[in-house]
Each structure stands twice: as C-alpha cells, then as structure tokens.
Amino acid sequence: MKLTLKIWRQKNADAKGKFVTYDFDGASPDMSFLEMLDAMNTKLIKARIDPVAFDHDCREGICGACGMYINGHPHGPGKAITTCHLSMREFKDGDTIYVEPWRAKAFPVVKDLIVDRTAFDKIQIAGGFISTNVGSAPDSHAIPVEKRKADEAFDSAVCIGCGACVAACKNASAMLFVSAKISQLALLPQGRIEATERVQAMVNKMDELGFGNCSNTGACEAECPKEISLVNIARLNREFYFAKIQ
Amino acid sequence: MTKLDAKIPEGPLAEKWTKYKASAKLVNPANKKKLDVIVVGTGLAGAGAASSLGELGYQVKNFCFQDTPRRAHSVAAQGGINATKNYKNDGDSIYRLFYDMIKGGDYRSREANVYRAAEVSNDVIDHFTAMGVPFARDYGGNLDNRSFGGVQVSRTFYAKGQTGQQCLLGTYSSLNRQISQGTVTMYPRREMLELVIINGKTRGIITRNLITGEIERHSAHAVVLATGGYGTIYYLSTLAVNSNPSAAWKAHKKGAFFANPSFIQIHPTSIPQLNEYQSKLTLMSESLRNDGRIWVPKKKDDKRVANDIPEDERDYYLERRYPAFGNLVPRDVASRAAKERCDAGYGVGKTGLAVYLDFRDAIKKQGEKAIEAKYGNLFELCRIITGINPYKDPMHIYPAGHYTMGGLWVDYNLMTTIPGLFSIGESNFSDHGANRLGASALMQASGDGYFILPYTISNYLADDIKTPRISTDNQEFEDAEKSVKERLEKLVSINGTQTATSFHKRLGEIMWNYCGMSRNEEGLKKAKQMLKELKDEFWTDLIIPSDLNDVNQELEKAGRVADYFEVADLMVDDALNRTESCGAHYREESQTPEGEALRDDKNFSYVAAWEYTGELKPYKLHKEELKFVDVEVKERSYK
C-alpha cells in the first residue's frame, strides 16, 4: 500500500508543533496501524531522521498506552478498538492519513504523539480506591454481591485509562473516565463506605486539573475502545448530588 | 565465594511459613519511617509490594518505565488466578495446589517456596475482593470458579478474560492510596540502568528519565526488583513489546545469581504471526481449551476450509495422545504437540504454522450465549486481529514465547545473592520449576508482593535501623552513573546501518530455532556461535538517533537488545548444561520411545544458579540440590 501520512511532529512540550508529510510505500493490509508506523520509522531511522515518538506497550488493547487521533477520531476508524488493534485493512492504497496526539489542556504534548496523562493518575490518587489494608480482609464470601451488580461493576472497571474520551470531547472532559471508577466502586458493597468522600474528591481533582465539563454529546462513549457507557456519567452525577446534600 | 543457602526454615512443610512469621524480626513503626525501600516495577508484584510496604510505614520509591503504573504487563493476563478456597467442594486444598505446582513444574522447584505460594493464595483473593476487584460471581452472589490449565479441580477465580487487568487495577488503586498518604513516591517513565552496591549491600539504583534523558541517582536501604520476565527474547512473544530483562540483568552482572535461565514457557494458544513487522503475538487465553477442541486434518496439506472437513477426517491429536487430560494437558505438552503436527506437515493456515481451536461442539452443546459469556472478549479479539469469527470458524493458534520460570535466584526470603536486593514475581525463579501451572502467575506475583515480601524484607531491615538515609553523593553512585553514561554514549556513537529491532528479530530467530520448544546439543552450540557473531555485528553496525537528552525510544530498545545478547548466551549455556528434558525444557537427546520428555532426576534434580564472573568469561555454575520430602517424585504423565 502507498500512503500519504500527515503526522504531527513536536520536539517537546515547549516547542511549536506542525504536520509533516511522509510518503510511505511499505504498508500491507496485514499490518496493524502501529506496525505500519514501525515500518515507517525504520525508514526514517535509516535516513537519519528522528523517528516519530509514540506511546505503546502491550499491543493487545489492554494496557491503554497507545492513543492517536487518526483522521479525526481517537484510535482511528473502527468501533471499540485501541490504536494497536487498528488494522491497515481499514485503509486503502493511496489514502492520506492524518495522525495527531490527544488534544487537551490537561494532557500536554511530550513529544510528537506522546502526551502526558499523569492527570488521570492524580484523579485516581484523590480517591479511586477502597481503604483496606493488606491482611485485614474477611473471607471473600462474607459479603455476597448480586451478580447483576458485580457484572455491572466489571463493565465499568474495564476502562484502560487511554484518554480517548478526553480527546473525543469538545470540552476535553474526563467525566467518562472518572465515572467509570466511581461507578465500579459505588456498585459494590465494599466501595459504599467511602462513596461520599470519593466522588467529591475525584470530581474536585478533575476540575482542578483543567478538564472540562460534560455537555452530554456522547462523543466519549462513541469513541471509547472499551465501550464504557454514558450510564456511568449519570451515576456519577447522582452520586455527586447525593454527596453534596448529605 | 558465595555459597548457596536457600535458608528454608526447619520443621514440617505446612508449618514453615507460620513459624517463620512468628520468629521473623520486626521493625517498630518509628523506625520504619526512617527506612527507604526502592521497588522497581509496578505489576502485581511490584505495586503490591510498594503498597503493602507503604501501609507498614516504610518510605517507598516505586519505579516503572511506562507513563503510569497501571500499564504494567500484569494487566494483560487473561485467564485467572488460583486460590485454594475449595468453594466448589471438589477436594481442593493448599496441599493439592502445592502438589499440582510441583508436578506441573516437573519437580524442579523448591518445595518450601511453592507451599508458601499456595498457602497465601486465599489471602490474595480475599484482599482483591475487599479492594473491589469485580471477579465473576454466580447467581447466589458468591465468587465463581473455573478449571484451568491441566488441573482436576476448579480453583481459578476470574473476571471474564481480563483477570490480570482487574487484579492490576485493584493493585494500582492500593498503590494510589499509599501515594495519597505520602508513603509511596511514584517515578514513572524511568528505566533502571544500574544497581548500586555499597560495602556489600544494595543501596540504590541509577535510572534514566525517559522524557528528559537525565541520569538519576536513587538510594534506599533495600531494593526490590519486580521487573517481570524475559519472554521477549524470542522477539515474537505474547509479552508487551517493551517488557525486558535489563534491570534483572544489571543485578546479575553485579553479583546476583541467575537461576534456570533456559526454563521458558511457550504458550500453546496464541494467534499466529500475520506479517514480518509483527513482534507481538496476541495470546488467546488457555481457558479456551476448556471448551475448544484442538485439531488438524488427518490428511497432509489439506487445503479444504475447516468446516468442510468431516469429523472422521479430523485428528484431535491431544485427545488421541492424552486421553485422560485431552485438550487440557499442560502448556509445554500442548505446545510441542502442535509443533510436532505442523513440522510433520499437518499445519493449517497460510503458513502451515497453525492448528485449529474449534468451538463448534461446545456451541452445539451449551449454546452460543453461554460460550459468549465465557469467552466473548477473546472471540472478539480474534475477529479484530485475524478477521476470523470463532463462533462460525475455528480459530488458528500457534505456540509463542510467554513466561519465564527462570530468573534471579532467591532464597526463602526472596532475597538474591546480593544482600538487600530482593526479587519478586516473574523476575525471580522460585515457584514454577521447569514449567508454570496456568493461573499461578497472578497468584505468585500478588502473594510475593502483598503477603510474603513485607515479612521477609522487614526481617532484613531490622538489622539496618541504625543506618541513616543513604546519601547518593559518594564514589559508588559516582562510578555507577559514569558507567551508565559511558554505555549510552557507546551505543549512540556506533552510527552503523541496522536498527535495534532488526537485531532483535534475528536474535529472536536464533533463540526460537535452537533454544525454543525443543533443543539439542548441536543446535545449541551452533546458536552460541551465531549469537556471538550477531552480537559483534550489533556493536559495530547499530544505528540509533544520537540524542541522549530527549525522548529516544530507539536508545531504549538498543540498550535492551544489547542485554538480550548476554541473556541469550547464558540461556544457551543453561540449556546445554541440562542434558535432561524437564517441563518446558525439552532436550531431544532425552526422550522416551514415545517421544515424551524424559527427566534425569539422578543428575539434574537441582536449580542451576549461574554466577557472572566478568566480561567474556565463562559463567560459574552453582547447584542448589532439590529435596522432595512431601511429594513423591513421579513421571509427569498426562496420558
């Protein structure tokens, strides 16, 4: 496949970035998008051009490291996949492909397609946990959990923290990300104890870090590689209001 | 000379750990605050240890090369985590799990460590549940279990096919709690490039900041390596592409013995390679073998579509060869059997390097819904990557490098041969012998981090309470930093023509062909020579961007590949030395008339712990004899 790649190049956080065009003639439909970039980088390295930097690790859609804005979509075309699972079968010979980093105030660009997502960690540190010490747990069956709720908690817990929701949102809101964790823990009896404090701490931290608000367009849900549902945001709001009036 | 002493406590097997805990030295809370511990790695073992030590009141510095601790490769484990709860009332017990691990490891692991791993497994599950890990539950609200990977009881806890992710995110949450309390300081995007030893004790590490390129000094009273395995040595593997052995290797070169390096598990069920740029082979959890049937056509080079091949022309070779265990034989047996069929010309797919994993019968019997509930995400994954829909057509699978049983040698305290240097999780060698039992990796990593290391490291640190915080302003740190910088300079100054990845690929091919699923003396000797030549070529013809003070991902890769040449060399030595077949290590010279692995207990019932003696000098072999008191050593038969 012959491709024209327009890739965002930016030396570091302070430098000004720009699109650079690469004509690349070495892709095949059997490749994943990242393998295609690897192949292109090999060419750049041999030509003594600085290769395009991007985050990636597990390459099986679970670590959440990779994330590029491809042709106007986080993780590119295709539903419910990460960039590493994006196949070149989705493109055709002669295509022009635009590749950008996540764009959000809270995710500054580090280099090229790498952004700094430590803001996500900071939100989790603010309260995304159940305070239980090692060794203090009762037998797992001491507290039964309704299967329906356990399954729902699991569906919220599959978030991989990639940041596609923020990148997709016109407000760069982290509501889907935050609500997934809030929901998981709010649905389980073990998590109810700290629910009031947790939701306030995490929401406050989210606001403080410069993420925008939610205006219910649903772009986050549509682009989430793990199909985290908007229902989580509704639950977050409910938890938050209850916490406020308590 | 260092003498190997496993420091196994006296007394009956079932009482060793209880007795150890009762007599281990303690550190009082006021002193804990004055003691620093470095933990490298944030997987289940590393983040578990960091949070557990933080809860105890130690000052912990936790490092990872990823942008956040939540991405450590434990996240990718699919199938499950074992515990001996016996919730199914099917006869499980600590002893039985212990026995299954010893047998699965083909009698090449240390009884006392294995028993302890089984012993703490229940605590691990309880802790995860309390932290809100959403394990699968039944309609009564209790945790569900499944049978997994070659055992006859259902003791595996799971969260769909994402058990590793859920356990890791639980552990990440406990780590975050300690970060919020100020006991753990997190250092992401740091790669450990050297270990610092002062007066015979481990006192710190040198790291490279992967964003700024800055070389940093970090000190502590003790260092814990939880840096995972070296399965990416084959280039093609199921591991995250950045997983690497470099931290453990640096420790080895500073004096930590490396044990059983050739014990490396090949996973039988990964998606075969699709193109030459691919290094990552995605795993299909072996839980699939509970319901999927593995087969190849009975006719060679049968080009018909799988579903057109009638029942009596299919060879369900695992069921045929191993009627008792069938498709659930251990990983090494399943892998070799697949290779045997493909080498004999019965392989399927474009390359002939694949076998079928077929769900037709399971779907007929249980319905598509039930199968979807169990494996929905794996089927979807298969469809995304290969375009095959496993509800209609059988998956294609082939073995791939996966888990390393070998690793840094540790004693019962999980301490290496360097005082103050501990190794936990996959990075040590201790619990899985020559082959790991399914769903015991998450179990061991969590057990090590949360429930074992906190006791053993306290026992060590109790003698160090008078040592003030370690300064980084001394000759040892100076020297370590200098050697790191020199090596980086050397790598960028080669200025040749071939990329680090291209060397990795060729290195992987050598290892896969000669030190992979089956090995022989001639091949191993050939590999040793080829490795030497390739290594020389690497150091004269590597090309990477030269900027040391910036993000330089090629430099990161090159450093790891450089270490891999050395790891590979030792792996080959170990495989050459062990002329028996055991577990995942199959020496063609040592097989039964039926072609099954043949152990040599008389000569090889030991752990091979290798000592580094200097650049280009031969490694020195130390043997830790294995004594089996509580199990009878038997032939590992799955027929």
Side-chain angles (χ1 to χ4, degrees):
Chain A
M1 292 167 89
K2 252 188 177 157
L3 300 169
T4 303
L5 295 161
K6 292 187 179 288
I7 300 179
W8 186 262
R9 302 300 310 257
Q10 185 172 336
K11 180 86 180 138
N12 54 49
D14 305 321
K16 211 168 134 69
K18 62 168 194 246
F19 279 107
V20 176
T21 305
Y22 301 93
D23 291 314
F24 180 57
D25 190 6
S28 84
D30 270 346
M31 287 178 171
S32 72
F33 195 82
L34 296 188
E35 283 154 13
M36 182 276 292
L37 281 183
D38 289 338
M40 192 198 77
N41 269 342
T42 304
K43 270 185 88 173
L44 295 184
I45 295 162
K46 290 192 168 178
R48 290 180 158 62
I49 298 167
D50 203 20
V52 178
F54 59 92
D55 268 327
H56 65 98
D57 198 20
C58 78
R59 301 214 179 186
E60 55 180 301
I62 196 74
C63 78
C66 66
M68 299 170 191
Y69 217 77
I70 302 163
N71 286 349
H73 291 276
H75 298 300
K79 209 176 146 37
I81 53 162
T82 53
T83 305
C84 62
H85 271 159
L86 175 60
S87 166
M88 291 311 289
R89 285 190 292 264
E90 300 285 331
F91 301 92
K92 40 182 208 308
D93 191 43
D95 273 1
T96 297
I97 307 175
Y98 286 83
V99 192
E100 299 170 73
W102 288 168
R103 307 278 189 194
K105 189 174 139 201
F107 290 164
V109 172
V110 172
K111 183 181 181 180
D112 298 339
L113 305 172
I114 299 178
V115 298
D116 180 353
R117 287 170 286 194
T118 44
F120 268 10
D121 290 318
K122 288 178 186 155
I123 295 172
Q124 298 293 347
I125 291 165
F129 48 77
I130 289 170
S131 298
T132 179
N133 275 3
V134 177
S136 62
D139 183 88
S140 296
H141 282 179
I143 308 168
V145 181
E146 214 181 312
K147 179 172 167 53
R148 188 180 55 80
K149 285 203 167 172
D151 288 349
E152 223 179 323
F154 173 85
D155 289 343
S156 303
V158 297
C159 167
I160 56 173
C162 65
C165 49
V166 175
C169 179
K170 62 182 172 131
N171 309 323
S173 167
M175 286 281 270
L176 194 67
F177 169 78
V178 177
S179 69
K181 183 51 81 177
I182 293 289
S183 288
Q184 178 204 340
L185 300 182
L187 282 161
L188 299 169
Q190 292 89 343
R192 286 306 324 170
I193 315 287
E194 298 165 285
T196 309
E197 294 77 16
R198 178 182 307 117
V199 68
Q200 297 185 86
M202 290 179 77
V203 168
N204 288 345
K205 184 54 85 177
M206 169 182 92
D207 291 343
E208 180 195 315
L209 291 166
F211 291 103
N213 212 328
C214 172
S215 44
N216 296 315
T217 65
C220 54
E221 182 190 54
E223 299 288 5
C224 173
K226 296 296 151 184
E227 301 183 292
I228 303 282
S229 157
L230 276 184
V231 169
N232 290 292
I233 296 185
R235 192 178 290 111
L236 165 67
N237 286 331
R238 198 163 61 236
E239 290 286 326
F240 188 72
Y241 298 142
F242 275 129
K244 280 289 175 199
I245 57 173
Q246 257 179 24
Chain B
M1 194 190 83
T2 316
K3 200 179 163 310
L4 281 183
D5 176 5
K7 303 206 174 88
I8 300 164
E10 294 297 319
L13 187 64
E15 291 167 24
K16 285 181 194 293
W17 182 232
T18 309
K19 279 192 176 159
Y20 179 98
K21 287 191 288 182
S23 58
K25 283 173 267 184
L26 301 173
V27 179
N28 88 39
N31 284 331
K32 284 193 185 110
K33 276 187 255 171
K34 299 180 200 157
L35 294 168
D36 299 326
V37 181
I38 283 173
V39 180
V40 186
T42 58
L44 285 184
S51 44
S52 190
L53 294 173
E55 284 172 19
L56 288 170
Y58 293 107
Q59 285 298 311
V60 182
K61 302 172 192 180
N62 197 187
F63 296 79
C64 66
F65 64 71
Q66 296 90 345
D67 65 326
T68 152
R70 67 179 292 155
R71 312 211 196 282
H73 197 53
S74 302
V75 79
Q78 297 172 349
I81 174 165
N82 285 334
T84 67
K85 287 286 192 184
N86 195 29
Y87 284 155
K88 289 282 184 189
N89 195 31
D90 56 0
D92 200 13
S93 63
I94 293 170
Y95 182 85
R96 204 175 280 276
L97 173 55
F98 153 77
Y99 178 81
D100 285 343
M101 285 177 75
I102 291 277
K103 180 187 171 198
D106 219 0
Y107 306 93
R108 291 295 173 263
S109 42
R110 194 190 284 153
E111 273 194 343
N113 284 54
V114 177
Y115 193 88
R116 179 176 61 182
E119 206 175 338
V120 302
S121 66
N122 291 339
D123 297 334
V124 168
I125 292 300
D126 292 339
H127 186 55
F128 279 141
T129 304
M131 287 195 297
V133 171
F135 287 123
R137 287 180 184 264
D138 60 26
Y139 285 101
N142 288 329
L143 296 179
D144 194 21
N145 294 115
R146 58 185 174 200
S147 161
F148 196 86
V151 297
Q152 290 166 313
V153 292
S154 294
R155 63 160 75 99
T156 302
F157 295 77
Y158 66 99
K160 280 202 180 155
Q162 284 151 260
T163 318
Q165 182 202 24
Q166 293 309 315
C167 291
L168 184 74
L169 293 182
T171 302
Y172 167 69
S173 77
S174 70
L175 179 68
N176 284 334
R177 178 168 164 246
Q178 290 313 304
I179 295 172
S180 77
Q181 296 185 358
T183 57
V184 177
T185 309
M186 193 60 224
Y187 296 87
R189 294 205 195 261
R190 304 297 203 289
E191 180 151 29
M192 172 183 153
L193 293 180
E194 193 52 283
L195 188 75
V196 181
I197 297 171
I198 301 175
N199 295 331
K201 285 185 171 175
T202 310
R203 293 303 194 192
I205 60 173
I206 305 288
T207 59
R208 179 169 182 270
N209 181 320
L210 300 181
I211 301 301
T212 63
E214 194 184 339
I215 304 300
E216 307 163 330
R217 306 176 183 188
H218 301 278
S219 68
H221 292 83
V223 173
V224 182
L225 296 187
T227 50
Y230 45 95
T232 45
I233 198 154
Y234 292 122
Y235 182 67
L236 289 172
S237 85
T238 65
L239 270 71
V241 295
N242 297 309
S243 295
N244 70 83
S246 286
W249 193 250
K250 307 295 183 199
H252 171 61
K253 291 179 82 171
K254 284 276 176 168
F257 291 3
F258 208 99
N260 300 335
S262 68
F263 288 174
I264 176 162
Q265 184 176 74
I266 311 288
H267 199 287
T269 54
S270 86
I271 294 178
Q273 190 185 20
L274 298 170
N275 72 74
E276 60 165 324
Y277 285 91
Q278 183 179 0
S279 69
K280 163 73 183 196
L281 298 180
T282 297
L283 187 72
M284 289 283 105
S285 167
E286 72 178 328
S287 62
L288 293 169
R289 289 199 276 144
N290 281 328
D291 289 300
R293 298 178 71 193
I294 293 175
W295 64 278
V296 291
K298 277 186 181 166
K299 250 194 345 219
K300 266 189 199 182
D301 293 318
D302 194 331
K303 292 290 170 220
R304 283 177 291 177
V305 179
N307 285 338
D308 290 346
I309 299 178
E311 190 63 18
D312 62 346
E313 290 178 45
R314 300 176 174 200
D315 178 15
Y316 296 93
Y317 57 88
L318 288 177
E319 297 170 28
R320 168 170 61 78
R321 284 177 68 179
Y322 309 99
F325 282 78
N327 293 295
L328 294 175
V329 290
R331 293 175 174 178
D332 59 311
V333 178
S335 295
R336 271 198 303 279
K339 184 174 188 288
E340 188 275 329
R341 283 293 82 188
C342 293
D343 289 351
Y346 296 92
V348 301
K350 252 202 291 188
T351 57
L353 292 176
V355 299
Y356 290 129
L357 177 60
D358 198 340
F359 293 87
R360 186 195 63 183
D361 296 350
I363 290 172
K364 222 183 273 168
K365 203 169 151 201
Q366 304 170 38
E368 200 168 304
K369 263 224 142 94
I371 295 298
E372 191 193 343
K374 284 193 242 185
Y375 313 114
N377 65 321
L378 294 168
F379 280 27
E380 182 58 13
L381 203 58
C382 176
R383 196 195 54 75
I384 290 170
I385 298 170
T386 64
I388 292 170
N389 172 5
Y391 294 104
K392 300 267 176 285
D393 298 296
M395 288 180 181
H396 294 199
I397 53 162
Y398 198 64
H402 184 52
Y403 184 93
T404 49
M405 285 73 70
L408 293 173
W409 185 89
V410 290
D411 62 15
Y412 192 73
N413 297 300
L414 303 180
M415 189 158 87
T416 67
T417 47
I418 308 176
L421 179 69
F422 294 78
S423 174
I424 59 176
E426 190 179 351
S427 69
N428 75 27
F429 88 102
S430 78
D431 293 355
H432 306 298
N435 195 17
R436 180 174 64 74
L437 197 70
S440 60
L442 297 179
M443 176 191 92
Q444 180 233 339
S446 313
D448 279 4
Y450 277 123
F451 291 98
I452 299 172
L453 181 89
Y455 286 93
T456 63
I457 203 170
S458 293
N459 186 54
Y460 171 82
L461 289 169
D463 293 332
D464 223 10
I465 51 175
K466 293 203 178 107
T467 310
R469 293 226 132 81
I470 315 290
S471 162
T472 57
D473 198 12
N474 50 47
Q475 196 58 43
E476 287 84 354
F477 271 98
E478 189 75 39
D479 292 347
E481 185 183 313
K482 196 165 151 254
S483 78
V484 164
K485 284 183 171 164
E486 280 171 4
R487 185 168 129 121
L488 295 174
E489 296 279 357
K490 196 174 159 192
L491 282 167
V492 297
S493 64
I494 299 170
N495 208 9
T497 63
Q498 302 180 64
T499 61
T501 301
S502 72
F503 283 108
H504 190 181
K505 200 184 287 185
R506 286 163 71 195
L507 165 76
E509 259 173 38
I510 297 173
M511 295 307 283
W512 182 252
N513 289 334
Y514 300 109
C515 199
M517 261 178 284
S518 105
R519 299 138 181 207
N520 62 55
E521 185 177 342
E522 193 194 333
L524 288 165
K525 284 187 169 156
K526 193 169 160 192
K528 207 164 158 64
Q529 186 56 32
M530 290 170 84
L531 285 169
K532 191 182 166 300
E533 285 162 19
L534 190 61
K535 184 182 171 189
D536 292 343
E537 194 179 327
F538 172 87
W539 283 104
T540 49
D541 199 29
L542 173 75
I543 177 173
I544 50 174
S546 61
D547 202 343
L548 289 174
N549 304 314
D550 191 5
V551 175
N552 189 340
Q553 294 174 318
E554 289 301 306
L555 175 66
E556 296 166 29
K557 274 188 226 167
R560 295 165 192 165
V561 174
D563 289 332
Y564 258 139
F565 280 110
E566 300 178 18
V567 178
D569 188 48
L570 181 59
M571 221 174 120
V572 169
D573 276 0
D574 187 53
L576 266 172
N577 171 66
R578 196 172 282 275
T579 56
E580 66 161 351
S581 294
C582 63
H585 170 64
Y586 187 76
R587 277 290 297 262
E588 287 159 18
E589 297 92 333
S590 184
Q591 52 175 302
T592 64
E594 300 87 47
E596 304 296 339
L598 183 64
R599 259 185 4 242
D600 177 0
D601 292 329
K602 199 164 147 263
N603 293 305
F604 288 100
S605 185
Y606 65 78
V607 174
W610 299 88
E611 180 183 2
Y612 181 78
T613 59
E615 193 78 33
L616 300 176
K617 286 196 189 141
Y619 294 94
K620 189 170 163 22
L621 173 64
H622 299 258
K623 296 178 182 177
E624 179 197 338
E625 295 296 334
L626 293 168
K627 291 185 204 78
F628 294 94
V629 181
D630 288 84
V631 291
E632 188 193 343
V633 179
K634 286 188 198 158
E635 187 197 342
R636 197 178 59 129
S637 170
Y638 291 92
K639 290 196 185 243

